[in-house]
Amino acid sequence: MTEILGAMGLGSTLASLMFLWAVAGKYFPFNLEDLIRRRFVKFTNRFYPYIHVSFPEFTGERLKRSEAYSAIESYLMSTSTSKARNLRAELGKDSSNLVFSMGYSDEVTDDFDGGRVRVWWSSTKSESKTPTFSIRPAPQEHRFFKLTFHHRHRDTVMERYLKHVLESGKAALIKNQQRRLYTNNPNRDYDYRMLNWSHVIFEHPASFDTLAMHPDKKREIIEDLKAFKAGKEYYARIGKPWKRGYLLYGPPGTGKSTMVAAMANYMDYDIYDLELTAVENNSTLRKLLIETTGKSIIVIEDIDCSLDLSGNRKKKEEKTEEEKQKESLLGKPKEEASKVTLSGLLNFIDGLWSACGGERIIVFTTNYVEKLDPALIRRGRMDKHIELSYCTLEGFKVFAKNYLGIENHTLFEKIQRLLGEVQITPADVAESLMIKTSSRGVVEDANACLEDLIRALEKAKEDATIRALEKAKEDAIASKEEVVDGPNVEGQQSGEFCKDKKASD
Ligand SMILES: Nc1ncnc2c1ncn2[C@@H]1O[C@H](COP(=O)(O)OP(=O)(O)OP(=O)(O)O)[C@@H](O)[C@H]1O
Ligand SMILES: [Mg+2]
């Protein structure tokens, strides 16, 4: 490389000369000009025969991390461990090993084609200077990889070497990278760091095997996911972005969130858990979308609690006079209402920007499907609607097999009858079937767990009967009052539920 550095100063002088030649070339006949230029390039190449290629970390005005950069980073991990002297270390897959990558301002060599082609990789970061009175309070980092090689290897590098680097890098990326669970940061202030998502390692153990639901329904979902994964060409052929929407709906505790985890594990995808109430406005929402990577599931939980049917955000609770006074003294409240609109969300799902990246699944979960705007869940946006409901015999059998290791038992018949009479959530069944230690220190066996479940089912049946009686009584009173006072105002209950649910989260 000293050879390269030495030639650098000469290189700039030659570039100036080249410029003069180019200007002079204007006054020569075309063929002569061309000839001179070719001779000149040949001449300069003798003194500085190296070519540089830069691979910046971000593409499109820093909107998105470059896939090429990630692939090169991953490729260099294997090379740099043995050659670089300035290394960075991170935990690898399953947190069991350390993965090393090249540190900044370091350089490694790589040989290709049986050692016939030698290239140099360096990792650099630069800080762009921000004006003193900029609204951006901190400088931004620009990181990039630089590839240097001799011009005689140009074709080999461009046609074969880079292809090899990108392919090996992508494969290593999939092999080494732990899957991630992302959540959006509530960025109320101008975000100069550009990163709107934080992540932890995704470690949820749910799978379709542990999911309690009818086997046919399960198979149907798995087939759908499989077809999606293999559908790159198909989507391109029919002219649709490579993405799919799933709407999971049903009462609390029926396995919606568990299914999202099972889907991510089955597909080997990352999860982006989008908290809509923390998104400032539609443009931030778009930015979040652009920052998601392919092979991912973007999930919005309890969508009915995040967005009003009319497209306006839920009204904030009325503030007390004291709170208003405090706010006027302290200035603008920190927790400002989000301005994401229904149309912003619709664009997020299938607007032009939604096609960036490809291979993405969008999942909405809700307890109240009937409260959602039809535009939000129409096919094309939410392609597949999946109902998760109360526990059935098939669901119970999955639990019995997974939790207790049994496929048959004399108590199954009684449980089947009770499941037909009463609505119990899979979450409640799972709780009864968990092996527990009794107060006398005895570990429960399968029999005890099943009896536990029967007691829970009988109790649920009793409660349901009491509730039905109370409801009948209330209805009778209400209908009497209606005759005297006119109709009551309805529609509070589910709103209250959303409020409670968010608070409990
Ligand atoms: N179908 C199911 N299969 C396996 N486990 C389930 C199922 N449904 C619920 N569970 C168990 O019950 C617990 C709660 O389930 P989960 O959080 O997935 O419910 P949910 O439908 O997302 O509820 P909510 O509407 O309140 O968000 C989980 O820990 C899971 O183990
Ligand atoms: Mg949930």
Side-chain angles (χ1 to χ4, degrees):
M1 285 306 279
T2 43
E3 191 186 337
I4 301 173
L5 292 171
M8 291 261 267
L10 192 59
S12 58
T13 319
L14 290 173
S16 325
L17 272 173
M18 199 169 169
F19 174 73
L20 287 175
W21 272 114
V23 173
K26 249 180 142 182
Y27 302 101
F28 287 101
F30 174 74
N31 285 343
L32 184 60
E33 180 199 334
D34 199 39
L35 181 77
I36 293 170
R37 187 167 289 134
R38 270 189 282 128
R39 283 285 155 91
F40 185 77
V41 169
K42 222 170 168 183
F43 173 72
T44 52
N45 282 351
R46 253 192 233 160
F47 294 97
Y48 192 75
Y50 294 95
I51 295 174
H52 302 285
V53 185
S54 288
F55 297 88
E57 184 178 12
F58 285 94
T59 58
E61 294 297 323
R62 288 183 65 87
L63 283 177
K64 195 172 187 306
R65 195 171 202 244
S66 149
E67 281 184 29
Y69 183 93
S70 305
I72 293 166
E73 185 177 48
S74 150
Y75 172 80
L76 290 175
M77 277 181 183
S78 52
T79 315
S80 57
T81 313
S82 54
K83 293 175 188 163
R85 278 186 267 168
N86 175 16
L87 294 166
R88 278 183 294 156
E90 276 174 74
L91 268 186
K93 207 165 188 162
D94 309 325
S95 311
S96 56
N97 61 324
L98 278 174
V99 178
F100 294 95
S101 57
M102 201 160 116
Y104 299 115
S105 317
D106 209 342
E107 187 184 86
V108 289
T109 51
D110 191 22
D111 293 330
F112 184 63
D113 227 6
R116 275 187 290 277
V117 177
R118 168 159 285 199
V119 301
W120 292 265
W121 283 103
S122 57
S123 168
T124 322
K125 68 175 171 184
S126 65
E127 283 181 0
S128 70
K129 301 270 180 299
T130 48
T132 326
F133 297 108
S134 167
I135 51 162
R136 298 183 179 212
Q140 290 180 31
E141 254 180 32
H142 296 272
R143 299 192 285 181
F144 51 91
F145 284 115
K146 195 159 104 183
L147 172 69
T148 305
F149 55 90
H150 199 285
H151 76 89
R152 69 169 171 268
H153 301 313
R154 185 186 206 114
D155 291 345
T156 315
V157 171
M158 298 297 195
E159 283 162 23
R160 292 194 289 122
Y161 174 72
L162 281 175
K163 193 164 177 264
H164 154 78
V165 169
L166 295 180
E167 279 174 5
S168 324
K170 277 183 191 165
L173 205 58
I174 294 166
K175 196 165 145 254
N176 289 327
Q177 203 181 49
Q178 290 188 300
R179 270 175 315 112
R180 293 170 172 183
L181 171 61
Y182 291 87
T183 185
N184 51 310
N185 299 322
N187 289 318
R188 301 286 181 202
D189 304 321
Y190 188 80
D191 179 34
Y192 58 88
R193 285 164 295 128
M194 311 300 282
L195 293 172
N196 288 315
W197 295 99
S198 316
H199 71 265
V200 291
I201 303 304
F202 177 65
E203 291 177 311
H204 201 297
S207 69
F208 279 104
D209 287 338
T210 61
L211 205 63
M213 67 190 298
H214 198 287
D216 292 347
K217 207 165 162 185
K218 214 188 275 190
R219 209 168 304 123
E220 191 191 313
I221 298 166
I222 293 174
E223 288 305 319
D224 197 80
L225 289 170
K226 244 194 240 173
F228 174 76
K229 198 168 194 172
K232 187 175 181 180
E233 269 101 49
Y234 173 72
Y235 278 85
R237 199 170 66 237
I238 61 170
K240 274 182 74 158
W242 191 15
K243 65 184 179 62
R244 193 153 176 81
Y246 289 83
L247 172 71
L248 309 184
Y249 64 97
T254 49
K256 297 178 291 300
S257 305
T258 311
M259 177 171 279
V260 176
M263 279 176 156
N265 284 335
Y266 181 79
M267 302 291 274
D268 214 5
Y269 283 3
D270 290 331
I271 294 184
Y272 287 88
D273 187 3
L274 179 61
E275 177 53 60
L276 260 192
T277 51
V279 181
E280 197 179 7
N281 51 37
N282 292 343
S283 112
T284 319
L285 186 64
R286 196 180 308 133
K287 200 154 171 287
L288 283 164
L289 174 70
I290 295 161
E291 279 182 22
T292 61
T293 52
K295 293 191 183 297
S296 63
I297 297 180
I298 302 170
V299 56
I300 305 179
E301 292 256 37
D302 303 312
I303 183 87
D304 55 297
C305 298
S306 311
L307 205 74
D308 195 349
L309 268 183
S310 61
N312 299 320
R313 307 310 303 255
K314 281 216 167 294
K315 283 191 209 102
K316 298 215 98 185
E317 282 172 69
E318 279 298 311
K319 293 191 175 94
T320 61
E321 271 309 310
E322 197 187 340
E323 279 171 336
K324 281 181 198 162
Q325 272 178 12
K326 213 188 267 176
E327 261 178 34
S328 64
L329 281 174
L330 296 173
K332 209 173 74 167
K334 193 86 184 142
E335 273 285 303
E336 206 176 85
S338 164
K339 293 191 196 86
V340 174
T341 61
L342 178 64
S343 89
L345 186 60
L346 298 184
N347 272 326
F348 172 82
I349 303 162
D350 68 353
L352 290 173
W353 290 91
S354 69
C356 305
E359 200 172 356
R360 266 180 299 198
I361 288 177
I362 298 176
V363 181
F364 286 170
T365 74
T366 180
N367 297 127
Y368 296 100
V369 67
E370 67 288 349
K371 292 189 135 277
L372 298 179
D373 192 303
L376 192 61
I377 56 171
R378 68 148 167 78
R379 308 287 154 157
R381 284 208 175 92
M382 290 293 110
D383 305 279
K384 204 158 174 61
H385 296 192
I386 302 168
E387 182 179 12
L388 287 123
S389 194
Y390 295 105
C391 196
T392 58
L393 178 67
E394 285 75 21
F396 159 71
K397 281 184 174 168
V398 175
F399 278 130
K401 190 164 173 238
N402 288 330
Y403 282 49
L404 308 172
I406 54 173
E407 293 192 34
N408 232 320
H409 194 279
T410 44
L411 290 175
F412 273 22
E413 219 177 291
K414 190 169 182 185
I415 290 169
Q416 180 178 4
R417 183 174 51 75
L418 282 165
L419 282 172
E421 290 169 1
V422 73
Q423 290 185 329
I424 187 168
T425 63
D428 287 335
V429 174
E431 182 50 34
S432 297
L433 296 185
M434 288 270 281
I435 303 221
K436 296 170 275 291
T437 311
S438 75
S439 50
R440 282 174 286 136
V442 182
V443 178
E444 282 185 346
D445 59 4
N447 206 53
C449 288
L450 292 175
E451 276 169 0
D452 228 24
L453 175 62
I454 290 171
R455 272 194 298 279
L457 283 164
E458 281 169 344
K459 170 92 177 41
K461 193 174 161 186
E462 235 174 78
D463 290 349
T465 318
I466 295 168
R467 270 202 310 276
L469 281 172
E470 278 172 359
K471 173 113 190 4
K473 223 191 272 175
E474 275 169 22
D475 286 352
I477 295 167
S479 63
K480 260 188 214 160
E481 279 174 359
E482 214 170 288
V483 173
V484 181
D485 303 332
N488 272 336
V489 180
E490 283 182 9
Q492 296 289 323
Q493 209 186 336
S494 59
E496 286 299 318
F497 175 79
C498 285
K499 227 163 60 194
D500 292 349
K501 194 165 168 130
K502 286 275 162 196
S504 70
D505 286 349

